[in-house]
Amino acid sequence: MEANKPSQGLYPLHRCKTIHLVRHAQGIHNVEGEKNHDAYLSEDLFDAHLTPLGWQQVENLRKHVKASGISNRIELVVVSPLLRTLQTAVGTFGGEGYRDGVDAPPLMTAGAGKSDRPAISSLNCPPFIAVESCREHLGVHPCDRRSNITKYRELFPAIDFSLIETDEDVLWKPEIREEDKDIAARGVKFMNWLSTRKEKVIAVVTHSGFLYHTLNSFGNDCVPDVKSEISSHFANCELRSVVLVDKCMNSSYPPVTNYPGKRPSGEDLPSDIADKK
């Protein structure tokens, strides 16, 4: 085998997770920013919500995850706490339409985030948890500044916001834009956090910049085509599935599929070795 040439590999199953990565659907900032990049500096785009086309993209992705069986296997949805990602997450992985009188809070209230959408049920779907560490580049662009968590809890009652420490957005700075290397480092820490979770199949709904810079930290031991599959830019509402391998042994959860087999009193050597003794 040639030195340093990528090869096939094996790793214990219980140290691997399937992660379904999703970039949010089209937001109003995407439309305005494509017309004029300076629009990203506009306060009119604060905590950008989805466009009507964005909601159609969500509907299409929802149909895909149901038809492919992905939605039945997901054990947890992790979502960036910005309006466009929250809308994309609940629209894609949430339950069906919400009905009054049901003894469970909705994932999203009717009309949340300047949408014309009906309420979305939290029944028959995985739990949702909001995490700050998978946010987009922090700072300067108002579209990347989040609303208060108090407001989000009103709009998305069944999403767990308990991991977010402050009601106001203290991470976003008006004059300092997070550097690429810093968002990449934040992304690697986020992936390490995912590896500590007990869930084996997780959906993550996040942002283009976060995905691009985080995923470019991985795949350097792969052939170029595979590296590109991992880390190329995401389109709006694109879903890309990867396997997260816990090489650092962050997780302490034992294997559930392994079976120890017979425990003999002797050495129980293979026959070709025993014959030589």
Side-chain angles (χ1 to χ4, degrees), residues 138-152:
L138 299 167
V140 181
H141 295 174
C143 60
D144 298 327
R145 187 171 84 248
R146 69 166 172 79
S147 299
N148 288 354
I149 298 303
T150 301
K151 177 181 177 180
Y152 285 152

Side-chain angles (χ1 to χ4, degrees), residues 29 31-42 45 141 177:
H29 65 305
V31 175
E32 298 304 318
E34 287 181 7
K35 297 176 184 175
N36 178 7
H37 191 269
D38 290 341
Y40 287 117
L41 300 175
S42 172
L45 301 180
H141 295 174
R177 185 73 170 165

Side-chain angles (χ1 to χ4, degrees), residues 12 19 31 91 118 126 181 188-189 195 216 226 236-237 264:
I19 310 296
V31 175
K181 64 180 179 61
V188 171
K189 289 181 180 179
S195 71
N216 264 285
V226 174
N236 281 125
C237 221

Side-chain angles (χ1 to χ4, degrees), residues 18-57:
T18 299
I19 310 296
H20 299 291
L21 300 167
V22 178
R23 180 192 175 192
H24 64 79
Q26 185 192 66
I28 58 170
H29 65 305
N30 295 132
V31 175
E32 298 304 318
E34 287 181 7
K35 297 176 184 175
N36 178 7
H37 191 269
D38 290 341
Y40 287 117
L41 300 175
S42 172
E43 279 291 332
D44 292 339
L45 301 180
F46 162 63
D47 198 9
H49 58 82
L50 296 186
T51 66
L53 175 58
W55 277 109
Q56 185 57 58
Q57 292 171 337

Side-chain angles (χ1 to χ4, degrees), residues 6 8 215 218-232 240 242:
Q8 304 298 331
L215 296 179
F218 296 88
N220 295 319
D221 55 346
C222 301
V223 296
D225 284 351
V226 174
K227 169 78 172 178
S228 179
E229 286 182 19
I230 294 171
S231 58
S232 58
R240 197 176 300 172
V242 299

